[in-house]
Amino acid sequence: MLFSRKKKLRESNSMNHRTIHVSMKLTLSFCATITVLQSGCKHNPVDAPIKNPREYTWTTEKISSSDNDQTFMSDMYAVDSKNIWIVGHNSSALGKMYHFDGTGWTRQNLYYGVYFDLEAIVGFGKDNIWAVGMKWPQDSPQLGFIIHFNGSQWVEMNVLEMNRLKCVWGSGPTDVWFGGLDGTLLKFDGMSIKPDSVPRYIPKNANPNWGFYAGSSGLGDDQYLVLAGEPLTNHGTWSYTFRGQSGRWTFIDSAYGLINRLWYSPWGKLYRTGGGVGFWDTSSWKFLSLNAFTRGVYGVAEDNLFAVGTIIWHWNGTDWFEFKNLSTVRMTYYKVWTDGREVFIVGVGNDDNNTYILHGK
């Protein structure tokens, strides 16, 4: 009986050993299969490591044509890195807008029967883009100008007479805002464009530079807007920031100097340009230690921001890095966009007034 129990125990242990051995083979085989599959997915851009922006390789492309003396693009909207629009001014009737399709820039031959310039652009996808500026109908002063892209063509919007528009922003297709000189403020609700106003005295026709220069949409129905101009004392430019909620604008801050752009980041922070780079901190503007005049800011994280002005800078959360010797042309930079893997910057040559696109990746 004792011998029989020992024999059964040895057989049981032997079976367990074979089971464990087979199991280990299956596990190793499974792991090897997973390893092969994982190595085969390394081409997936989602899994690719993100390059340090300060180590990007840069190229510069000139945007100009033989039929005009200058091409001055000052704003940009990117659907993605293969679908980018830039707008501005040039000295001929054409060339107010260019489009990048991933391989090259193409001039958009827009025609509306009047001379016009474009100053700002924003979009909500490839089939819903807005651009604004000014036009000069025959025997008329400068008027505001709005065009809309529906995916196939740019169409001028019929709006009652308005002053020159300087900015356009919004939170979506049924919430688009337009701001301009002499207190021009309009909203598109998905059906029509209607006038709006803020609780601030704006001296009509007292100074042509009074107006709305920047706006941005926050979370929910949050809106932010900058009114800038020279007070009646003419002691320089002041900027007044307003916050809009539930259809009501509230004054929240005044600052000496021009705030020329607002940008509401994906992580819920409102940034401003003009004197340095600032962000709104509950009740006042705080600054990211950049002592320079700026015209654009954009990024993918609080520690991965680009700012542009007379120079191109990068913020890593600790310090600003200045990019040097990117081009042989002296430029002023107006707008920047990045997706975290590459960056596009719009600049204008200080001597030749032509547009240059700097591309880093």
Side-chain angles (χ1 to χ4, degrees):
M1 292 290 292
L2 179 61
F3 174 78
S4 178
R5 283 198 297 268
K6 287 183 178 181
K7 181 180 180 181
K8 288 182 180 180
L9 181 60
R10 285 196 301 270
E11 290 176 349
S12 175
N13 288 340
S14 177
M15 290 178 64
N16 288 340
H17 177 73
R18 287 195 297 272
T19 302
I20 292 171
H21 184 67
V22 172
S23 177
M24 288 178 65
K25 282 187 175 181
L26 290 174
T27 301
L28 290 172
S29 176
F30 178 75
C31 290
T33 302
I34 291 297
T35 301
V36 171
L37 290 174
Q38 287 178 337
S39 64
C41 295
K42 286 184 179 179
H43 68 279
N44 189 336
V46 175
D47 299 326
I50 297 177
K51 187 176 181 179
N52 183 349
R54 300 182 179 189
E55 299 174 356
Y56 279 171
T57 300
W58 293 83
T59 58
T60 302
E61 184 172 355
K62 183 178 179 180
I63 306 294
S64 65
S65 56
S66 59
D67 56 359
N68 62 72
D69 298 324
Q70 59 180 216
T71 302
F72 196 123
M73 301 291 105
S74 57
D75 202 11
M76 169 173 55
Y77 167 67
V79 179
D80 53 44
S81 62
K82 301 294 188 294
N83 190 350
I84 303 175
W85 302 84
I86 57 175
V87 298
H89 159 81
N90 73 4
S91 56
S92 72
L94 302 175
K96 313 295 184 178
M97 178 186 293
Y98 287 80
H99 178 250
F100 179 69
D101 62 0
T103 58
W105 294 90
T106 304
R107 184 174 73 178
Q108 305 301 292
N109 295 325
L110 306 177
Y111 179 76
Y112 301 98
V114 294
Y115 187 84
F116 68 93
D117 272 344
L118 297 173
E119 299 207 29
I121 185 169
V122 74
F124 310 100
K126 62 187 179 71
D127 299 333
N128 195 342
I129 307 173
W130 298 81
V132 303
M134 56 184 170
K135 65 180 179 179
W136 293 271
Q138 188 174 7
D139 301 323
S140 298
Q142 293 181 2
L143 299 174
F145 183 63
I146 302 174
I147 56 176
H148 176 250
F149 184 67
N150 57 19
S152 60
Q153 62 181 335
W154 287 92
V155 179
E156 181 181 1
M157 304 297 290
N158 294 320
V159 185
L160 294 176
E161 287 191 3
M162 55 191 166
N163 215 312
R164 176 180 176 179
L165 296 175
K166 302 290 292 183
C167 58
V168 56
W169 76 97
S171 63
T174 60
D175 181 47
V176 187
W177 292 85
F178 314 88
L181 300 184
D182 210 20
T184 299
L185 181 62
L186 307 165
K187 179 186 179 182
F188 177 69
D189 61 6
M191 298 295 292
S192 61
I193 298 176
K194 299 176 181 178
D196 205 331
S197 61
V198 297
R200 188 77 182 186
Y201 171 66
I202 303 173
K204 299 293 182 182
N205 303 316
N207 188 312
N209 293 322
W210 267 103
F212 298 106
Y213 281 80
S216 187
S217 294
L219 301 176
D221 66 347
D222 253 5
Q223 305 290 337
Y224 293 88
L225 173 66
V226 170
L227 170 67
E230 296 181 6
L232 298 181
T233 55
N234 290 321
H235 286 168
T237 301
W238 281 77
S239 296
Y240 304 89
T241 306
F242 297 84
R243 183 181 186 182
Q245 289 180 302
S246 302
R248 180 183 177 184
W249 291 99
T250 303
F251 169 74
I252 60 174
D253 183 76
S254 62
Y256 182 73
L258 176 63
I259 297 176
N260 52 39
R261 290 192 194 275
L262 293 177
W263 174 61
Y264 198 93
S265 69
W267 52 93
K269 185 174 287 188
L270 178 70
Y271 291 84
R272 54 160 281 189
T273 58
V277 174
F279 61 91
W280 184 252
D281 186 20
T282 307
S283 60
S284 63
W285 291 108
K286 307 295 183 183
F287 292 88
L288 297 179
S289 64
L290 181 61
N291 185 23
F293 186 78
T294 56
R295 295 182 180 275
V297 61
Y298 200 92
V300 294
E302 289 192 85
D303 59 357
N304 191 354
L305 291 174
F306 283 91
V308 298
T310 55
I311 298 172
I312 300 170
W313 301 274
H314 177 260
W315 173 256
N316 64 1
T318 302
D319 59 53
W320 288 101
F321 174 81
E322 178 183 326
F323 292 91
K324 297 181 179 180
N325 303 320
L326 295 184
S327 173
T328 58
V329 179
R330 295 189 307 115
M331 285 184 240
T332 298
Y333 303 101
Y334 285 86
K335 195 67 181 287
V336 56
W337 176 87
T338 180
D339 61 1
R341 302 188 186 283
E342 51 190 314
V343 58
F344 289 83
I345 297 170
V346 178
V348 175
N350 295 342
D351 299 321
D352 62 9
N353 285 323
N354 283 308
T355 294
Y356 294 84
I357 306 299
L358 278 73
H359 182 198
K361 62 179 181 178

